[in-house]
Amino acid sequence: MSETDTIAAISTPLGEAGICIVRISGRDALNIAGEIFHAPKRKSIHEIPSRTINYGKIVDPLSGQAVDEVLLSVMKAPFTYTREDIVEINCHGGISASKKVLELVLEKGARLAEPGEFTKRAFLNGRIDLSQAEAVMDLISAKTDTALTLALSQLEGGLSKKIHLIMESLLSILANIEAVIDFPEEDIDEITTQQIIDTIGKSIEDIKGLLETSDTGKIIKEGLNTVIIGKPNVGKSSLLNALLDEKRAIVTNIPGTTRDIIEEFINIKGIPLKIVDTAGIRETEDIIERIGVEKTKEFLHKADLVLIMLDAADELTKEDILIMELVNDKRSIILINKSDLPQKLDEDEVYKMAGTNPVLKISVLENLGIDDLKQQIADMFFKGEIEQKGSVIITNIRHQDLLKKALNNLKDAENAVSLGMPLDLITIDIKEAYYKLGEIIGETVGDTIIDEIFSRFCVGK
Ligand SMILES: Nc1nc2c(ncn2[C@@H]2O[C@H](COP(=O)(O)OP(=O)(O)OP(=O)(O)O)[C@@H](O)[C@H]2O)c(=O)[nH]1
Ligand SMILES: [Mg+2]
């Protein structure tokens, strides 16, 4: 597929709406739009100044019939999203008006754009790098303010800058080594070796620093997998409803009310939580309940956080102990619910079992301690780190994977230096790390990967 042809697509969601935008990008964008756009006083589209929006009509040249009344913007290369000429036609937002306009544009010689093709051109034409292009997709799909802030910072080049810095220092080592290999008689060997060790060490630290943010990044992007677990009737569904602020799950005083897993998304202090209410766990002969327990175990396996619920008005039972053992090494918060009732639960015993996990006394019924719980979750997973503006957080698994590979290459190089291996062997690992980092920003990446990344975009972006 040629990257020089002119592409077009509807860039807004299809459906009934106030306006709909048909976007055209490429060499012939103006000519194509010019053939169907009638401006008042028959002004030619080529006389329209760049970056202006203009009133007119779209007319089918064959029938001479007006199709829609529109506003048309002209953006001339190179200062555009794709670095090519762009025309955007704001037509009425019904499916038929926008489809008709697009059809005319295609008839006049544009090709229907592939998913993500506008952004792909922005990348191929050097306006943004690959990590910035990926940020565009994150921006579109961001579900919380935090995710939005991070996507924007990546789009503005926050990550790219860090990657460039590491790549530059690796390049400087490579240059140093070349010098030593080319001029072995010069006495630069010793200084260079130390410099190499220092620079590799510094790069390793930088990459580790980035990798450390990726857990946070994953949570911001995909949500913190949270499971509420406890024996029947402790108030798990009540808690889900309280956090959601709606009556989502059925709550009754009959133990065993929740039979199936209920999954919901909530936003707690900027953190998206994928929260799961489970069936109460007890030793049972009931086949349905047994399946429920098995399912709960599956969800536990994937959980980032487990909320273990205990009943303040009951003694610690065999089931409670079983549950705490089941959760085992997961990060968890122990909630002593129904603290509005006279207490029978032995708190000391609970604290002993909890170990380093926090214990909170709450009453879902009286809305006590729910805010503390939210704060606790935020503290456990973020410690205010996303508040710092401009901080770079790895949210993309592709980036994480490449950083890990680059890290391993550099560790190999570090080993090789300390073992006194020949310098030209060390360059192999350093070059490999350099290429892996380059793949993040798209400098050293193959077409297949590029195509794969952009195919995940929506049409019109
Ligand atoms: N006193 C008191 N009652 C509560 C509290 N939280 C929940 N309950 C009551 O406990 C009963 C059980 O609540 P649910 O939320 O259905 O409990 P569950 O853990 O989901 O129960 P299962 O789905 O059967 O496992 C209901 O009658 C709730 O109103 C609380 O903080 N204090
Ligand atoms: Mg329930």
Side-chain angles (χ1 to χ4, degrees):
M1 192 168 293
S2 151
E3 304 293 353
T4 54
D5 53 1
T6 298
I7 52 172
I10 296 175
S11 284
T12 40
L14 281 182
E16 284 180 27
I19 53 169
C20 164
I21 299 176
V22 175
R23 188 192 244 173
I24 316 167
S25 175
R27 255 208 299 250
D28 290 328
L30 267 79
N31 288 334
I32 291 171
E35 285 192 53
I36 56 169
F37 179 64
H38 285 212
K41 294 181 202 153
R42 300 195 167 266
K43 196 164 146 192
S44 150
I45 198 162
H46 295 282
E47 296 166 43
I48 293 176
S50 184
R51 301 207 223 187
T52 56
I53 190 153
N54 304 269
Y55 170 79
K57 284 195 174 114
I58 296 295
V59 176
D60 184 341
L62 270 187
S63 66
Q65 288 246 316
V67 173
D68 198 4
E69 217 179 354
V70 301
L71 286 174
L72 174 141
S73 6
V74 170
M75 289 159 277
K76 289 183 187 158
F79 301 110
T80 67
Y81 186 64
T82 55
R83 286 252 200 272
E84 303 170 333
D85 282 343
I86 290 187
V87 174
E88 281 180 4
I89 305 171
N90 290 227
C91 46
H92 284 102
I95 293 179
S96 32
S98 49
K99 251 184 75 183
K100 186 73 196 159
V101 173
L102 178 66
E103 272 168 23
L104 289 176
V105 168
L106 298 179
E107 266 170 36
K108 293 295 153 208
R111 167 174 65 74
L112 193 63
E114 299 282 307
E117 201 172 357
F118 293 96
T119 310
K120 186 178 180 182
R121 289 190 172 193
F123 163 64
L124 292 175
N125 294 330
R127 199 181 81 81
I128 50 174
D129 71 27
L130 196 55
S131 75
Q132 289 173 305
E134 288 172 303
V136 171
M137 191 157 49
D138 293 345
L139 198 85
I140 295 171
S141 59
K143 285 183 188 62
T144 61
D145 289 354
T146 318
L148 189 68
T149 310
L150 286 185
L152 196 63
S153 131
Q154 190 175 317
L155 179 61
E156 284 169 348
L159 174 65
S160 315
K161 215 184 285 168
K162 291 225 168 185
I163 299 293
H164 271 296
L165 283 176
I166 305 174
M167 285 175 77
E168 273 164 29
S169 57
L170 294 183
L171 207 56
S172 77
I173 315 180
L174 289 171
N176 265 345
I177 293 179
E178 303 271 293
V180 175
I181 293 170
D182 291 347
F183 307 101
E185 67 283 0
E186 309 262 327
D187 195 22
I188 44 179
D189 196 17
E190 216 156 285
I191 319 157
T192 310
T193 308
Q194 191 52 46
Q195 266 177 2
I196 293 168
I197 293 173
D198 291 349
T199 315
I200 294 178
K202 169 81 171 58
S203 302
I204 286 179
E205 285 316 306
D206 288 346
I207 294 177
K208 274 189 184 160
L210 285 172
L211 277 171
E212 272 166 20
T213 67
S214 55
D215 286 346
T216 308
K218 176 179 167 281
I219 290 166
I220 292 169
K221 204 161 165 189
E222 292 167 27
L224 184 78
N225 279 315
T226 309
V227 178
I228 312 174
I229 179 173
K231 66 185 167 194
N233 225 31
V234 284
K236 300 178 293 298
S237 300
S238 306
L239 177 66
L240 175 82
N241 290 348
L243 291 172
L244 280 173
D245 226 355
E246 65 176 89
K247 292 198 171 69
R248 168 68 178 84
I250 301 167
V251 169
T252 74
N253 57 5
I254 307 160
T257 300
T258 307
R259 288 262 166 151
D260 218 341
I261 302 276
I262 300 176
E263 225 178 326
E264 284 293 335
F265 259 104
I266 40 170
N267 181 345
I268 288 186
K269 298 187 187 285
I271 311 165
L273 248 69
K274 205 198 273 170
I275 194 158
V276 174
D277 174 25
T278 62
I281 290 189
R282 63 178 157 195
E283 286 190 283
T284 175
E285 292 305 308
D286 182 324
I287 177 88
I288 297 175
E289 275 192 41
R290 261 207 324 249
I291 293 171
V293 173
E294 282 311 310
K295 271 199 187 163
T296 301
K297 281 187 191 162
E298 278 170 36
F299 276 91
L300 271 182
H301 185 68
K302 291 187 288 186
D304 302 304
L305 170 68
V306 185
L307 303 176
I308 305 173
M309 263 196 151
L310 302 173
D311 186 343
D314 191 9
E315 282 159 13
L316 207 62
T317 61
K318 219 165 58 185
E319 291 143 342
D320 292 321
I321 292 165
L322 178 85
I323 287 162
M324 288 175 93
E325 282 169 0
L326 203 64
V327 175
N328 203 347
D329 54 347
K330 290 276 173 189
R331 294 183 84 174
S332 40
I333 300 175
I334 293 158
L335 300 170
I336 303 180
N337 189 32
K338 307 198 185 183
S339 61
D340 53 291
L341 298 176
Q343 181 156 339
K344 269 202 202 156
L345 188 74
D346 182 350
E347 262 181 53
D348 290 341
E349 218 175 327
V350 174
Y351 274 100
K352 230 184 273 165
M353 291 198 67
T356 54
N357 291 315
V359 180
L360 291 180
K361 277 170 95 164
I362 64 169
S363 163
V364 179
L365 197 68
E366 302 202 337
N367 195 26
L368 294 174
I370 305 296
D371 276 338
D372 297 339
L373 170 62
K374 290 181 183 172
Q375 192 57 50
Q376 181 72 51
I377 294 172
D379 291 348
M380 261 171 108
F381 287 88
F382 289 107
K383 302 171 202 94
E385 56 195 293
I386 23 175
E387 306 303 336
Q388 296 167 20
K389 255 196 113 197
S391 62
V392 172
I393 290 179
I394 302 296
T395 55
N396 186 309
I397 294 184
R398 190 183 75 86
H399 301 167
Q400 185 184 0
D401 191 46
L402 288 165
L403 283 168
K404 277 185 189 160
K405 286 182 177 150
L407 181 69
N408 286 336
N409 292 138
L410 289 180
K411 281 182 177 164
D412 287 347
E414 200 177 40
N415 263 337
V417 180
S418 63
L419 290 173
M421 305 269 262
L423 286 179
D424 49 349
L425 275 182
I426 294 158
T427 60
I428 297 175
D429 288 321
I430 300 178
K431 274 183 191 157
E432 202 51 48
Y434 181 88
Y435 283 123
K436 289 285 173 281
L437 295 172
E439 272 188 50
I440 295 177
I441 52 176
E443 256 178 34
T444 56
V445 73
D447 288 348
T448 341
I449 293 176
I450 292 174
D451 289 345
E452 211 270 314
I453 290 171
F454 286 103
S455 69
R456 279 180 265 144
F457 274 62
C458 47
V459 173
K461 186 61 228 177

